[in-house]
Amino acid sequence: MFYFQDDVSQSIVNQTQDSWDKLNDKFQGWVDSFILSLPNFLLAVIVFILFIVFANLTSRLLKKILQRTSAQHSVVVITIRVYKTIFILIGFFVGLGILNLSTVLTSVLGVAGVVGLAVGLALQGTLNNTFSGVILSFIPKIQIGDWVETNDFKGFVTDINLRSVTLKTADQNLVSIPNSKIVDNPFKNLSSDDRSIATVECGVGYESDLEFVEKITVQAIEKALPQLPGEKVELFYKAFGNSSIDYEVRFWIKERNAKDELLAKHKAILAIKKAYNENNINIPFPIRTLDFGKNKFRSETLEIKNHISDQ
């Protein structure tokens, strides 16, 4: 019995010693491999750090070069970010190559593909806005500082980023519109050309000399709002209204935002009213005729008596 217990104990000791020897040999092998690969590891780290430093330095130089061009701020920011990302990724892959980790590199690329697919499916809306932001950044028809009208909002463009476009409206509020909404819907840029056409509608009495009215109106507009070469004031009579002959006058104005159009129409209306007063041209009020001859009106007084009986 005692011999059996001694044999079991000795067997356990031997197995433990064998396991420890194997673990020790494995660990020693790892240490030897690390020592042998230490120069390559240090070289890979140094190369990766150099790529990061070089990317930062060259990105500053690239930023100065882009700022000297007519590229808008959002284009500069996106270009710098993409440049630095690509350069750092190149340094990472070069470091893996120095370490002879081609298998790891293949695994990283495979995992990156799977993760990219999952992220793409989960963030479809966000990625749509991101790509739309890249498109908007490189479109010269909308830039920071422009006055635009889109998605029922009007305002100055204050920022274009990878998620949204920010407008500062006339009431000094900020509105963020997703980039995809602007790309998918039409927008009007009032700052792309500072000359546009404004319209004022009015009417004159039936007794008026229409040719004289046209002459006076055009002269008044041209005096209040001088037209550039190739531009002219145009007046078109539109309809015989209920109490006036209606017309529409069109003229060129300098318009960089919605307020410019309001000021131009303000000046035009003042000039037209002053010219009409000086030349006795009537702008009639709406007239409504009431005929009491055919319809007799009568009123009757009804007397209602309340009888209260005593009980």
Side-chain angles (χ1 to χ4, degrees):
M1 181 70 179
F2 292 103
Y3 289 107
F4 178 74
Q5 292 180 350
D6 291 340
D7 292 340
V8 171
S9 301
Q10 186 64 33
S11 176
I12 295 174
V13 171
N14 293 334
Q15 290 179 1
T16 305
Q17 184 65 36
D18 291 340
S19 300
W20 174 256
D21 292 338
K22 291 179 180 180
L23 180 61
N24 190 26
D25 293 340
K26 194 70 173 178
F27 181 76
Q28 187 66 34
W30 288 345
V31 172
D32 294 339
S33 299
F34 176 76
I35 293 174
L36 291 176
S37 61
L38 183 60
N40 289 340
F41 177 77
L42 294 177
L43 180 60
V45 172
I46 292 173
V47 168
F48 183 64
I49 293 174
L50 288 176
F51 266 87
I52 295 177
V53 173
F54 189 76
N56 290 329
L57 293 177
T58 54
S59 63
R60 295 176 185 175
L61 178 61
L62 180 61
K63 182 177 181 180
K64 292 181 180 179
I65 295 174
L66 292 176
Q67 286 177 343
R68 294 178 181 177
T69 65
S70 57
Q72 55 180 303
H73 178 70
S74 57
V75 174
V76 175
V77 172
I78 292 176
T79 303
I80 296 299
R81 289 178 180 176
V82 172
Y83 171 79
K84 291 178 65 175
T85 301
I86 293 176
F87 215 88
I88 292 174
L89 285 176
I90 292 174
F92 176 72
F93 292 141
V94 170
L96 292 180
I98 294 175
L99 293 174
N100 296 320
L101 297 177
S102 57
T103 304
V104 176
L105 178 60
T106 303
S107 301
V108 169
L109 293 177
V111 172
V114 175
V115 173
L117 179 61
V119 172
L121 293 175
L123 302 177
Q124 293 183 24
T126 302
L127 292 177
N128 187 17
N129 287 328
T130 300
F131 285 112
S132 299
V134 174
I135 294 173
L136 288 175
S137 297
F138 288 92
I139 291 179
K141 294 183 180 180
I142 179 171
Q143 298 188 19
I144 294 177
D146 291 349
W147 178 276
V148 300
E149 299 179 3
T150 180
N151 292 276
D152 298 327
F153 292 101
K154 303 177 183 179
F156 288 106
V157 179
T158 60
D159 183 40
I160 302 176
N161 54 51
L162 293 179
R163 191 187 68 84
S164 62
V165 172
T166 303
L167 303 183
K168 189 173 185 179
T169 59
D171 55 2
Q172 303 303 304
N173 290 319
L174 295 178
V175 179
S176 293
I177 305 175
N179 294 327
S180 58
K181 295 291 185 181
I182 297 181
V183 172
D184 295 337
N185 294 288
F187 66 89
K188 181 179 180 181
N189 190 341
L190 299 178
S191 301
S192 59
D193 189 353
D194 62 355
R195 301 295 292 180
S196 61
I197 293 179
T199 302
V200 170
E201 296 182 356
C202 189
V204 293
Y206 276 88
E207 75 283 356
S208 303
D209 183 345
L210 298 185
E211 294 181 352
F212 180 68
V213 170
E214 180 179 3
K215 177 182 177 181
I216 293 300
T217 305
V218 170
Q219 289 178 351
I221 296 294
E222 290 176 341
K223 183 178 180 181
L225 300 164
Q227 305 291 284
L228 299 181
E231 302 174 352
K232 65 178 181 178
V233 180
E234 297 177 309
L235 187 146
F236 302 97
Y237 290 104
K238 295 173 39 177
F240 293 97
N242 293 331
S243 57
S244 64
I245 299 178
D246 302 327
Y247 70 80
E248 177 182 294
V249 59
R250 306 170 71 236
F251 49 91
W252 289 85
I253 63 172
K254 183 177 181 180
E255 182 180 13
R256 299 289 296 179
N257 52 58
K259 185 177 180 180
D260 291 340
E261 182 180 5
L262 293 176
L263 289 175
K265 289 184 177 181
H266 173 79
K267 293 179 180 179
I269 292 174
L270 290 177
I272 291 173
K273 185 63 171 63
K274 182 179 180 182
Y276 285 7
N277 289 342
E278 293 175 351
N279 292 275
N280 296 321
I281 298 175
N282 179 37
I283 302 176
F285 294 100
I287 297 174
R288 175 176 295 177
T289 302
L290 300 178
D291 187 357
F292 294 95
K294 296 181 181 180
N295 299 295
K296 302 298 183 181
F297 290 91
R298 64 176 183 174
S299 61
E300 296 181 356
T301 301
L302 300 178
E303 183 177 356
I304 301 175
K305 295 183 178 180
N306 295 326
H307 300 278
I308 302 176
S309 58
D310 297 331
Q311 297 184 3

